[in-house]
């Protein structure tokens, strides 16, 4: 593996990880409502879940799912249901000025599961593997190692952004509206999925 290949892999990982998507919105919401360490639990789960997904796609999981359409349908509709559930939880956050950390925050397992139900994660895995590897497991493994810190840091940035927004939007009225906007964006991402 050469530096000339690692750098483009890292750039792809950064673009795919830091760009807005369902997991990033949940990271932002977690930063708004919970202590930093709890948001970072979600980030760690989402990162590890993505890496496992990435390796599974590299081993041929996506091809297997395409060969058995009922499994792909279950994943598709399960993803939509989970994203709608997460958007409902975000919209229903009734007291945005309560003590940070009160209430249940999305944790490690939620983060990992969300990546497996996240169409953006599937597309990033398939596109990255197709573009930057020859399908060999050694290259896919190295790509996963490059992706790991880039993905974690990218998602953590969204949690920190949520923390910064909380400090600047101290008024409960504005936090409630931001919750609803984030919930709407998360639910709207399901409209894209309904087309397929």
């Amino acid at each position: 593996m050469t530096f000339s290949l690692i750098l483009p892999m890292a750039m792809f990982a950064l673009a795919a990880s830091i760009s807005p998507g369902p997991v990033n919105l949940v990271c932002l919401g977690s930063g708004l409502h919970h202590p930093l360490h709890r948001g970072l639990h979600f980030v760690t789960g989402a990162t590890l879940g993505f890496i496992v997904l990435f390796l599974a796609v590299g081993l041929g999981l996506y091809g297997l799912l395409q060969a058995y359409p009922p499994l792909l349908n279950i994943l598709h509709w399960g993803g939509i249901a989970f994203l709608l559930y997460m958007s409902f939880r975000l919209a229903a956050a009734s007291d945005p000025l309560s003590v940070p950390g009160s209430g249940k925050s999305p944790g490690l397992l939620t983060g990992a599961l969300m990546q497996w139900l996240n169409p953006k994660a599937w597309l990033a895995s398939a596109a990255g593997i197709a573009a930057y590897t020859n399908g060999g497991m050694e290259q896919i493994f190295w790509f996963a190692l490059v992706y790991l810190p880039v993905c974690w840091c990218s998602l953590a940035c969204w949690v920190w952004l949520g923390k910064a927004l909380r400090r600047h939007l101290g008024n409960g009225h504005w936090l409630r509206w931001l919750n609803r906007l984030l919930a709407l964006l998360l639910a709207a991402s399901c409209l894209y999925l309904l087309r397929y």
Side-chain angles (χ1 to χ4, degrees):
M1 189 61 82
T2 64
F3 183 74
S4 63
L5 190 54
I6 289 175
L7 185 59
M9 285 178 171
M11 300 294 281
F12 176 87
L14 178 63
S17 300
I18 206 161
S19 59
V23 172
N24 307 75
L25 292 176
V26 173
C27 287
L28 182 66
S30 186
L32 277 169
H33 298 284
H34 303 288
L36 183 63
H37 73 278
R38 286 170 79 179
L40 295 180
H41 286 170
F42 177 79
V43 166
T44 301
T47 301
L48 294 176
F50 176 79
I51 296 302
V52 172
L53 173 66
F54 185 85
L55 292 170
V57 168
L59 288 170
L61 177 63
Y62 191 68
L64 176 69
L65 288 173
Q66 285 182 317
Y68 296 100
L71 290 176
L72 201 54
N73 281 336
I74 290 170
L75 184 66
H76 177 81
W77 290 106
I80 290 172
F82 191 72
L83 291 175
L84 288 173
Y85 165 74
M86 293 302 289
S87 74
F88 173 76
R89 280 190 53 196
L90 191 55
S94 61
D95 186 11
L97 292 178
S98 63
V99 175
S102 61
K104 187 163 170 42
S105 65
L108 198 80
L109 290 176
T110 303
L113 176 63
M114 194 163 180
Q115 288 290 30
W116 280 76
L117 298 173
N118 178 7
K120 180 184 166 194
W122 284 87
L123 290 172
S125 296
I129 289 168
Y132 295 100
T133 73
N134 60 11
M137 272 317 292
E138 183 180 345
Q139 280 186 327
I140 292 169
F141 176 75
W142 280 107
F143 198 176
L145 282 178
V146 168
Y147 232 121
L148 183 70
V150 172
C151 182
W152 193 92
C153 290
S154 297
L155 295 178
C157 285
W158 284 87
V159 174
W160 285 313
L161 177 60
K163 286 278 163 233
L165 282 173
R166 181 177 179 86
R167 278 194 302 273
H168 293 358
L169 297 175
N171 182 326
H173 173 75
W174 290 112
L175 281 172
R176 260 188 229 78
W177 278 105
L178 183 57
N179 278 349
R180 291 176 184 148
L181 176 63
L182 292 174
L184 182 64
L185 290 172
L186 194 55
S189 70
C190 294
L191 293 176
Y192 175 79
L193 295 175
L194 289 175
R195 295 185 352 203
Y196 297 98

